[in-house]
Amino acid sequence: MKIKYELISQDKKARRGLLHTNHGTVETPMFMPVGTLANVKMLTPEEIKEVGSGVILSNTYHLWLRPDEDVVAKAGGLHKFMNYDGPILTDSGGFQVFSLAKNKKKDITEEGVHFKSHIDGKSLFLTPELSMEIQNKLDSDIAMSFDECIPYPATYEYTKESTERTLRWAKRGKDSFNNPNQSLFGIVQGGAYPKLRKYSAEKTVEMDFDGYSIGGTSVGEDKKTMYEMVDNAIKYLPEDKPRYLMGVGEPEDLLEGVERGVDMFDCVLPTRLARHANAFTPYGKINLKNAKYKEDFTPISDTCDCYTCKHYTKAYLRHLFVAKEGLGGRLLSIHNIRFLIKMTEDMRNAISEGNFIEYKEQFLEKYKN
Amino acid sequence: MKIKYELISQDKKARRGLLHTNHGTVETPMFMPVGTLANVKMLTPEEIKEVGSGVILSNTYHLWLRPDEDVVAKAGGLHKFMNYDGPILTDSGGFQVFSLAKNKKKDITEEGVHFKSHIDGKSLFLTPELSMEIQNKLDSDIAMSFDECIPYPATYEYTKESTERTLRWAKRGKDSFNNPNQSLFGIVQGGAYPKLRKYSAEKTVEMDFDGYSIGGTSVGEDKKTMYEMVDNAIKYLPEDKPRYLMGVGEPEDLLEGVERGVDMFDCVLPTRLARHANAFTPYGKINLKNAKYKEDFTPISDTCDCYTCKHYTKAYLRHLFVAKEGLGGRLLSIHNIRFLIKMTEDMRNAISEGNFIEYKEQFLEKYKN
């Protein structure tokens, strides 16, 4: 079965909905924790569910290299391999080619991208067809089209050329796609050029995907440009399909994205911050290694309902981080992911109640990053 | 309340019993997971309980340095600090002075031991009184006397001198001990000399501790000598007090220890092995990084009832270790600790049924290390 998006309520452009998948129905707007290598770092599936996750994301590029898609397929697909029965989305590998290729060198041809492995420098060649084949084998619920993530800034000419190639790649991927239980999203590129975003969105929508991602907005634009690009993509996207803003996870960006009609977000931010002792709080981020928490026997946040805040103090977490004990990163990952997911729950309620903007303003008034 | 040992059944020298503590009644023989820095590496208290742990151990030396005993005391003691409501035992720091002092240099005087921190080289001075003060503040259920862990081999003269000093330290520690809710164990030293083990045991028992540890047997003796030293200590220990063989955790050593009348064991082995991808199985240890597990979609052990074996395959665990994902060490720690604790459960049942030796022989016949 393909996924289905069901609109529940709307507050101006902000929308609340349901995403029906083969692994359950989940609510949008949603924040998707990232499980790069078939696990959300340090966490079990039970913990991922306990924090209220809807869909989780896993990375095609990483799983292609380790353990490789055939091992995952022989295990019965990614869900069985990693023991997770909720919905999983896989990206296409396009972003990792851009961000992780050894020395960031890559050779983009019409056929695909030649680059070297970030692990051992081995030559690799990823094409739209191969990305689909890998994702089909991984058997995620939602697969992504293979795209080029355009660097920022880029000239109009380069951006146009790349955007058109990404459209051709999207078509090739869709044509070769071969898993009836898996949905496929198109990705809107177009860099920082409104005209190209429009062009990319319209041409991608013409191909009729199961959902639409907005790509290339998290790689270096200023925030204002990013939000404009989101506006310039979303207005050309159909109402009955989910919209996914890729790689975005700062609280303020979730708010801005939802306000513009985004349904799905993903980011490594909460787990990466956690490994460096940085915690989200309603008053902004704090670093738990700070000496002022040495004897602070209160939770990270009084209002947080996560396992970590219910059971552990800042003093204990600080101790774990100072002593380099891995449990610290684990407990803080739970909190940070829960923080973003709780935000999406609050946003959904605000949308239903028609006061999304009030919620956003109240949140931002407290939250100074 | 002081702990109380209750003998339930006996099979030759092997004994099954109950240990009544301020944090619940637990069964012996028991294996105690080590929570060095106020956490069993990577695991939550819930997980520690789920694997069937009775008492856990935490290290006075480590907590003295980080976060320091006053922070723990201000948190309300170690149980509250680390969110663990089961019984906790703290060691005295004596073993860490021996094993961790920077460059292993230390200056042992009658007063105490001068040595340098393994973290920053800072000069430190630990005495029996200070060890008790720290442990009293940590407020564990069971504290250990401060002893010298004698290197092996050592001359009779040095061993005698050290053993006598440890007895004087035990007395000083007991005299300064000041926590009515905490129990204190004496430690039998005496190196590899039966005569000194007897002397140490008898003199320690004269001081009337709440339980007795057998120390210095895990630092390099051959196994035969170790078992002889255990025999030469236990026969002088009272029946109504628990006996704790320190730092021992290999399956065969648990069996040999229990056969000789030991009630308690601790070791970092299961968690340390886990971090290096080594798993206990009924057929000996295996390393999960081995290529032969790449497509092995069976659990570590078919007969294991742990969370990890119920939900994950060797192929998945191998992937986590190869990709250096911390979840691998976490999941394998659960399995390895459960393996040793399950052994103690089986030993308890075998004792009750009067067939401990049969159990031991059957176990060892399969288990080739």
Side-chain angles (χ1 to χ4, degrees):
Chain A
M1 184 191 96
K2 302 285 180 182
I3 59 150
K4 225 183 230 151
Y5 175 78
E6 183 185 346
L7 183 69
I8 296 293
S9 58
Q10 204 151 1
D11 183 3
K12 299 196 185 69
K13 287 185 192 158
R15 32 191 248 160
R16 177 177 187 167
L18 296 174
L19 198 63
H20 302 285
T21 82
N22 287 323
H23 291 87
T25 293
V26 289
E27 294 198 75
T28 63
M30 69 164 69
F31 173 78
M32 302 186 285
V34 178
T36 304
L37 278 150
N39 77 112
V40 176
K41 286 195 192 301
M42 312 285 292
L43 304 186
T44 60
E46 290 80 1
E47 286 164 339
I48 299 165
K49 290 199 165 175
E50 197 187 316
V51 293
S53 296
V55 177
I56 65 167
L57 183 143
S58 210
N59 294 118
T60 292
Y61 166 78
H62 289 284
L63 294 174
W64 178 37
L65 299 192
R66 295 180 303 197
D68 85 39
E69 66 281 13
D70 288 318
V71 170
V72 175
K74 283 178 193 163
L78 193 48
H79 293 86
K80 281 203 178 155
F81 183 61
M82 68 183 287
N83 181 39
Y84 187 70
D85 65 3
I88 303 175
L89 180 151
T90 44
D91 62 5
S92 66
F95 181 76
Q96 280 71 34
V97 168
F98 166 82
S99 66
L100 283 180
K102 199 174 163 87
N103 309 322
K104 309 237 168 182
K105 275 188 197 161
K106 55 190 183 294
D107 178 24
I108 302 172
T109 67
E110 183 61 27
E111 182 61 15
V113 189
H114 294 270
F115 63 103
K116 291 187 194 304
S117 160
H118 77 291
I119 301 171
D120 57 8
K122 198 179 133 188
S123 289
L124 298 169
F125 184 48
L126 194 55
T127 66
E129 290 80 6
L130 180 54
S131 173
M132 294 310 114
E133 187 189 328
I134 299 167
Q135 293 185 79
N136 289 165
K137 285 182 179 173
L138 294 176
D139 199 23
S140 54
D141 296 87
I142 302 172
M144 288 293 128
S145 292
F146 186 65
D147 62 333
E148 186 198 348
C149 187
I150 304 166
Y152 180 86
T155 63
Y156 182 83
E157 287 63 35
Y158 184 81
T159 305
K160 184 166 188 288
E161 185 195 319
S162 167
T163 298
E164 285 176 339
R165 185 170 44 233
T166 285
L167 288 167
R168 292 190 294 273
W169 285 358
K171 174 78 166 64
R172 279 168 51 193
K174 193 165 188 292
D175 289 346
S176 74
F177 197 76
N178 187 23
N179 184 335
N181 288 314
Q182 199 173 28
S183 300
L184 180 61
F185 277 30
I187 302 184
V188 179
Q189 286 290 352
Y193 300 97
K195 196 177 143 186
L196 293 177
R197 284 278 170 188
K198 175 176 191 279
Y199 174 73
S200 177
E202 286 178 343
K203 290 290 173 189
T204 306
V205 170
E206 270 177 28
M207 286 185 246
D208 190 22
F209 286 95
D210 302 311
Y212 297 93
S213 304
I214 304 166
T217 71
S218 65
V219 296
E221 297 100 52
D222 59 281
K223 294 280 165 116
K224 192 168 157 281
T225 307
M226 172 173 140
Y227 303 145
E228 278 173 22
M229 294 309 107
V230 172
D231 282 330
N232 274 291
I234 279 190
K235 60 181 161 190
Y236 308 106
L237 298 180
E239 298 256 311
D240 63 343
K241 298 282 172 70
R243 298 120 173 217
Y244 161 29
L245 181 55
M246 301 175 83
V248 165
E250 287 283 3
E252 48 273 52
D253 298 338
L254 298 191
L255 292 162
E256 297 291 339
V258 169
E259 185 178 351
R260 286 164 173 79
V262 173
D263 305 304
M264 303 161 72
F265 303 85
D266 81 285
C267 197
V268 295
L269 190 68
T271 42
R272 180 174 291 165
L273 286 176
R275 290 195 297 280
H276 295 93
N278 289 299
F280 287 125
T281 86
Y283 302 94
K285 294 189 201 100
I286 61 172
N287 190 296
L288 288 171
K289 281 187 177 174
N290 196 305
K292 72 179 168 188
Y293 302 122
K294 188 171 182 186
E295 298 187 357
D296 185 333
F297 302 113
T298 65
I300 300 168
S301 166
D302 288 332
T303 56
C304 181
D305 60 4
C306 83
Y307 169 77
T308 304
C309 285
K310 275 190 276 188
H311 296 293
Y312 303 93
T313 64
K314 294 200 232 11
Y316 182 65
L317 294 165
R318 176 181 189 274
H319 161 66
L320 293 179
F321 281 109
V322 168
K324 299 190 174 69
E325 294 285 289
L327 183 61
R330 175 182 164 192
L331 294 176
L332 191 48
S333 290
I334 290 173
H335 169 79
N336 280 348
I337 294 175
R338 178 61 194 156
F339 184 87
L340 295 184
I341 288 178
K342 180 66 165 62
M343 273 190 73
T344 63
E345 290 172 5
D346 293 342
M347 288 193 274
R348 295 198 290 260
N349 291 333
I351 291 166
S352 291
E353 292 161 12
N355 57 11
F356 178 79
I357 290 297
E358 291 88 321
Y359 168 78
K360 178 189 163 197
E361 283 169 0
Q362 279 169 20
F363 182 96
L364 290 175
E365 200 179 296
K366 272 205 265 179
Y367 190 86
K368 315 284 177 208
N369 193 21
Chain B
M1 183 192 97
K2 302 286 180 181
I3 58 150
K4 226 183 229 150
Y5 175 78
E6 182 185 345
L7 183 69
I8 296 294
S9 57
Q10 205 152 2
D11 182 5
K12 300 196 184 70
K13 287 185 193 159
R15 31 190 249 161
R16 178 177 188 167
L18 295 174
L19 198 63
H20 302 285
T21 82
N22 288 322
H23 290 87
T25 293
V26 289
E27 294 198 74
T28 63
M30 68 163 68
F31 173 78
M32 303 186 283
V34 178
T36 303
L37 278 149
N39 77 114
V40 176
K41 287 197 191 302
M42 313 284 292
L43 304 186
T44 60
E46 290 80 0
E47 287 164 337
I48 299 165
K49 290 198 166 176
E50 197 187 317
V51 294
S53 296
V55 177
I56 65 167
L57 182 142
S58 210
N59 294 118
T60 292
Y61 167 78
H62 289 284
L63 294 174
W64 178 37
L65 299 191
R66 295 181 303 200
D68 86 39
E69 66 281 10
D70 287 317
V71 169
V72 175
K74 283 178 193 164
L78 193 48
H79 295 85
K80 281 202 178 157
F81 182 61
M82 67 182 287
N83 181 39
Y84 187 71
D85 65 3
I88 303 175
L89 179 150
T90 43
D91 61 5
S92 67
F95 182 75
Q96 281 71 34
V97 168
F98 167 81
S99 66
L100 282 179
K102 199 174 163 87
N103 310 322
K104 310 238 167 182
K105 275 188 198 162
K106 54 190 183 296
D107 178 24
I108 302 171
T109 67
E110 183 61 27
E111 182 62 15
V113 189
H114 294 270
F115 63 104
K116 291 190 192 302
S117 161
H118 77 291
I119 301 171
D120 57 8
K122 198 179 133 188
S123 289
L124 298 170
F125 184 48
L126 195 54
T127 65
E129 289 80 6
L130 181 53
S131 173
M132 296 308 114
E133 187 189 328
I134 299 167
Q135 293 185 78
N136 289 165
K137 285 182 179 173
L138 295 175
D139 199 24
S140 55
D141 297 86
I142 302 171
M144 288 293 128
S145 292
F146 186 66
D147 62 333
E148 186 198 347
C149 188
I150 304 167
Y152 180 85
T155 63
Y156 182 84
E157 287 63 36
Y158 185 81
T159 305
K160 184 167 188 291
E161 185 195 319
S162 167
T163 299
E164 285 175 338
R165 184 170 46 233
T166 285
L167 287 167
R168 292 190 295 273
W169 285 357
K171 173 80 167 61
R172 280 168 50 195
K174 192 164 189 291
D175 288 345
S176 74
F177 198 76
N178 187 23
N179 184 335
N181 287 314
Q182 199 173 28
S183 300
L184 180 61
F185 278 30
I187 303 184
V188 178
Q189 287 289 350
Y193 300 97
K195 198 177 142 185
L196 293 177
R197 284 278 169 187
K198 175 176 192 283
Y199 174 74
S200 177
E202 287 177 343
K203 290 290 173 189
T204 306
V205 170
E206 269 177 29
M207 285 185 246
D208 190 22
F209 286 95
D210 302 310
Y212 297 93
S213 304
I214 304 166
T217 71
S218 65
V219 296
E221 298 101 62
D222 59 281
K223 294 280 165 114
K224 191 169 157 282
T225 307
M226 173 173 138
Y227 304 144
E228 278 173 21
M229 294 310 107
V230 172
D231 282 330
N232 274 292
I234 279 190
K235 60 182 162 190
Y236 309 105
L237 298 179
E239 298 257 312
D240 63 342
K241 298 282 173 69
R243 298 119 173 218
Y244 162 29
L245 180 55
M246 301 176 84
V248 165
E250 287 284 3
E252 48 273 50
D253 297 338
L254 298 191
L255 292 162
E256 296 291 339
V258 169
E259 185 179 350
R260 287 164 172 78
V262 173
D263 305 305
M264 303 161 73
F265 302 86
D266 81 285
C267 197
V268 295
L269 190 68
T271 41
R272 180 175 291 165
L273 286 176
R275 291 195 297 281
H276 295 93
N278 289 299
F280 287 125
T281 85
Y283 302 94
K285 294 189 201 100
I286 61 173
N287 190 295
L288 289 170
K289 281 188 177 172
N290 196 305
K292 72 178 169 189
Y293 302 121
K294 188 172 183 186
E295 298 187 358
D296 185 334
F297 301 112
T298 63
I300 300 168
S301 166
D302 289 331
T303 55
C304 181
D305 59 5
C306 82
Y307 168 78
T308 303
C309 285
K310 275 190 276 187
H311 296 293
Y312 303 93
T313 63
K314 293 201 234 7
Y316 181 66
L317 294 165
R318 176 180 187 274
H319 161 67
L320 294 178
F321 281 109
V322 169
K324 298 190 175 66
E325 293 285 289
L327 183 60
R330 176 182 163 193
L331 294 176
L332 191 48
S333 290
I334 289 173
H335 168 79
N336 280 349
I337 294 175
R338 177 61 194 156
F339 184 88
L340 295 184
I341 288 177
K342 179 67 164 61
M343 272 190 73
T344 62
E345 291 172 5
D346 293 343
M347 288 193 275
R348 295 198 290 260
N349 291 333
I351 292 167
S352 290
E353 292 160 12
N355 57 11
F356 178 79
I357 290 298
E358 291 89 319
Y359 168 78
K360 179 190 163 196
E361 283 171 0
Q362 279 169 20
F363 182 96
L364 290 176
E365 200 179 296
K366 271 205 266 180
Y367 190 86
K368 315 283 177 208
N369 194 20

